[in-house]
Amino acid sequence: MAKERLYLFDTTLRDGAQTNGVDFTLADKLAIARMLDELGIDYVEGGYPGANPIDTELFSKPRPMRARLTAFGMTRRPGRSAANDPGLVALLAAQAPAICFVAKSWDYHVRVALETTENENLASIRDSVRAAKAKGREVLLDCEHFFDGYKAKPAYALACAKAAYDEGARWAVLCDTNGGTLPHEVERIVGEVCAKIPGDHVGIHAHNDTEQAVANSFAAVRAGARQIQGTLNGLGERCGNANLVSIIPTLKLKAEYADRFDIGVSDEALSHLVRVSHALDELLNRAADRHAPYVGESAFATKAGIHASAIVKEPKTYEHVAPERVGNKRKLLVSDQSGRSNVLAELERVGLAVDKDDPRVARLLDEVKEREAIGYAYEAADASFELLARRLLGKVPHYFDVEKFDVNVEQRNNAKGERVTVSQAVVKIKVGAEELISVAEGIGPVNALDLALRKDLGKYQSFITGLELTDYRVRILNGGTGAVTRVLIESADETGDRWTTVGVSANIIDASFQALMDSIVYKLVKSGAPA
Ligand SMILES: [Zn+2]
């Protein structure tokens, strides 16, 4: 049986840009658009030309891509003609093959927010769609507050969507703007709409205010809608939009959808989903959500001993899909609760296969337990665990020694008479017979120490140029004899690999130093740096 085509519409650059603390530059927007295009998204909504200089510039010239770049804007204002509305004229001038209009579809909003009549609002929808069609654009209509509007006055909400469809809009998109609609309501209402407008012209735009935006999107598809709107990592104002990073693998890997629908995302593109999700976090300077479905670091992590031994024998026992399909990996967490099978499996995964009766396995397990008792957390620090294991098995070359370091924090007046705090670190290391001294200033003591440590590693410098710290987390643990500090550092390199290292000490600088050192040594091991 031929599969039906289901379309994906991304609004990371428009609705996602409404997120608190998110501020895309033009370069950011172009980079994200390229990423979405490579992923196989059908429509990339770039922004709102005329609303701000960046969006205006984005649409000032053609941006060739396979996906349809979409400009967003309002339908013509009440009481004006399409030609006499400067906002609409600017939108029609945007260099984009598709235009997505937003219009009210809740009678209450038409009266109160728009202060016009229901008929004038319908005329505005028809005129705007017609004007954009006349310019050769593909047209979408976002029916704002559609579900609330439908509950209040179904005939009117439907009339708004139908006006756009009848005028030739490719899509009427039903928006759950306040995000409060529940999946069974979405399914019922979309089903009723699809009896009047063919489902292959109906889209769903769900917000996540009850944490059901993904479920609502699927409910709409079950009821007949054939376009899903959402954002990368569920970015969006308040609680976010429907998360395409969760929706895409479900569409590709769950038989109910995979057997019925084709989407623009290939198997190959799907296998890069983790990278795409992390790239957005990186750009936003945010730590990745470890527990994100499909793409989180913990999405395929197993801790308890019996689960782990089963997973090694037959992964399907505890995994709903194969992690490689989305570019993720299976992980067996090593902690004081773990059995021998976790440790063996984790050693095998990192390429350190040893015999199960090797006495060093028991020693490693004891070592992990002892260190976790004083605050180390190996299940969160895979790279530190690997180094611990490699050291025990004698497989970490001796690269360099840190003879001493000195970190200094000073508060003083700068040349302008402003009070500033400056951190400086001096690190003295020995690489073979060579002694190297590096000095660096940083925005804090740990940053200064990191910069000084990585400034000059002599003959190893070329191996760490792509190394970068992506997250730094500190926790104060209350032990029996006083507080200890645990530092977790996440690093990434030029290949897109990420790893986490841990340090524990009563002194935060010392704990950070351990985690930084582990990260550097891990990178050297990983890059095959010679001893
Ligand atoms: Zn929205």
Side-chain angles (χ1 to χ4, degrees):
M1 200 181 76
K3 291 190 202 178
E4 259 186 275
R5 184 70 158 86
L6 188 68
Y7 294 84
L8 297 175
F9 182 105
D10 179 280
T11 182
T12 303
L13 302 179
R14 202 272 303 169
D15 233 358
Q18 302 296 316
T19 315
N20 243 346
V22 169
D23 217 352
F24 293 127
T25 63
L26 180 62
D28 292 341
K29 285 203 162 197
L30 291 171
I32 294 169
R34 202 173 316 118
M35 208 158 74
L36 291 165
D37 192 32
E38 283 168 10
L39 182 59
I41 300 293
D42 300 290
Y43 297 85
V44 172
E45 192 168 52
Y48 190 167
N52 62 66
I54 287 173
D55 287 4
T56 303
E57 198 183 338
L58 175 71
F59 290 106
S60 65
K61 58 178 181 190
R63 310 281 181 184
M65 60 178 96
R66 188 207 40 81
R68 256 155 283 178
L69 182 65
T70 307
F72 173 90
M74 302 223 265
T75 50
R76 73 153 173 83
R77 274 187 273 170
R80 293 220 180 185
S81 72
N84 258 329
D85 182 330
L88 182 59
V89 170
L91 182 58
L92 295 177
Q95 300 276 327
I99 288 177
C100 183
F101 289 110
V102 58
K104 307 278 182 205
S105 57
W106 185 356
D107 65 321
Y108 165 69
H109 269 261
V110 172
R111 259 191 338 268
V112 175
L114 221 52
E115 295 180 342
T116 188
T117 64
E118 293 180 12
N119 276 334
E120 173 60 7
N121 185 50
L122 289 173
S124 154
I125 292 172
R126 283 192 296 265
D127 291 350
S128 306
V129 172
R130 197 181 310 126
K133 291 274 296 177
K135 289 272 187 186
R137 302 296 201 278
E138 180 175 335
V139 185
L140 301 92
L141 182 78
D142 271 1
C143 302
E144 202 185 30
H145 299 289
F146 183 84
F147 293 91
D148 296 306
Y150 192 91
K151 286 183 205 169
K153 195 168 179 184
Y156 187 67
L158 190 59
C160 294
K162 191 87 172 32
Y165 171 70
D166 288 343
E167 206 59 57
R170 172 66 183 87
W171 295 101
V173 181
L174 315 180
C175 301
D176 186 23
T177 310
N178 293 350
T181 312
L182 302 176
H184 65 279
E185 299 174 306
V186 169
E187 192 155 356
R188 175 180 63 83
I189 293 170
V190 174
E192 289 172 20
V193 172
C194 291
K196 302 286 187 335
I197 300 173
D200 58 359
H201 291 269
V202 174
I204 177 74
H205 176 109
H207 279 262
N208 203 30
D209 298 71
T210 70
E211 197 149 18
Q212 299 189 87
V214 169
N216 280 341
S217 304
F218 285 115
V221 170
R222 275 197 300 274
R226 292 295 176 257
Q227 183 194 96
I228 299 177
Q229 299 203 343
T231 59
L232 287 177
N233 297 347
L235 204 67
E237 76 183 315
R238 306 191 308 276
C239 318
N241 286 54
N243 185 358
L244 289 178
V245 173
S246 296
I247 288 172
I248 290 168
T250 297
L251 289 172
K252 293 281 293 177
L253 302 176
K254 297 293 170 182
E256 178 180 354
Y257 299 103
D259 293 350
R260 284 182 64 197
F261 300 111
D262 269 329
I263 59 173
V265 180
S266 66
D267 289 351
E268 159 69 14
L270 181 68
S271 74
H272 297 296
L273 196 63
V274 168
R275 191 173 51 75
V276 169
S277 170
H278 283 164
L280 183 77
D281 290 327
E282 204 99 306
L283 213 134
L284 295 172
N285 205 13
R286 293 181 166 186
D289 175 4
R290 271 150 222 284
H291 301 283
Y294 294 105
V295 297
E297 210 187 308
S298 298
F300 299 95
T302 304
K303 182 164 171 174
I306 43 169
H307 291 195
S309 49
I311 232 173
V312 176
K313 277 185 236 142
E314 188 45 75
K316 270 191 184 156
T317 49
Y318 288 97
E319 284 171 359
H320 72 115
V321 298
E324 312 79 59
R325 296 297 306 272
V326 293
N328 210 336
K329 54 190 177 192
R330 178 170 310 131
K331 214 166 129 184
L332 298 173
L333 303 177
V334 175
S335 76
D336 54 3
Q337 287 177 36
S338 44
R340 180 176 282 264
S341 51
N342 279 50
V343 172
L344 285 167
E346 187 60 14
L347 289 177
E348 192 179 331
R349 188 183 71 79
V350 300
L352 288 171
V354 287
D355 186 80
K356 69 176 173 31
D357 297 320
D358 191 320
R360 292 178 299 179
V361 175
R363 277 217 318 272
L364 178 59
L365 207 53
D366 287 345
E367 177 100 23
V368 166
K369 285 182 183 178
E370 271 166 37
R371 293 170 76 95
E372 293 217 333
I374 58 169
Y376 287 83
Y378 286 103
E379 64 180 65
D382 49 351
S384 285
F385 170 74
E386 185 178 330
L387 284 180
L388 188 70
R390 282 184 183 277
R391 286 193 177 110
L392 217 82
L393 299 170
K395 291 190 174 156
V396 179
H398 188 99
Y399 296 115
F400 63 94
D401 290 304
V402 176
E403 306 253 279
K404 62 175 250 181
F405 70 80
D406 175 40
V407 181
N408 178 294
V409 180
E410 183 184 307
Q411 198 178 74
R412 55 172 155 82
N413 289 327
N414 67 8
K416 292 182 200 154
E418 299 156 338
R419 208 69 188 147
V420 289
T421 303
V422 184
S423 300
Q424 194 193 57
V426 182
V427 174
K428 189 170 161 193
I429 64 166
K430 204 167 172 190
V431 184
E434 195 183 6
E435 279 209 335
L436 301 159
I437 296 177
S438 300
V439 183
E441 278 195 358
I443 45 174
V446 174
N447 180 237
L449 181 61
D450 173 42
L451 294 174
L453 261 176
R454 292 194 284 138
K455 201 168 186 174
D456 189 3
L457 271 192
K459 61 177 176 171
Y460 297 121
Q461 191 59 28
S462 63
F463 292 96
I464 62 160
T465 43
L467 175 64
E468 158 186 25
L469 297 196
T470 52
D471 194 22
Y472 174 81
R473 280 169 292 148
V474 178
R475 255 192 89 178
I476 310 297
L477 310 163
N478 282 307
T481 52
V484 265
T485 304
R486 175 202 291 155
V487 167
L488 286 168
I489 286 178
E490 189 186 86
S491 310
D493 71 4
E494 68 284 359
T495 66
D497 274 354
R498 307 163 86 84
W499 61 89
T500 305
T501 52
V502 62
V504 170
S505 168
N507 181 308
I508 186 172
I509 301 290
D510 197 34
S512 306
F513 174 74
Q514 292 171 25
L516 288 170
M517 282 292 284
D518 265 10
S519 175
I520 293 170
V521 173
Y522 179 83
K523 170 67 179 158
L524 290 174
V525 170
K526 174 180 180 294
S527 306

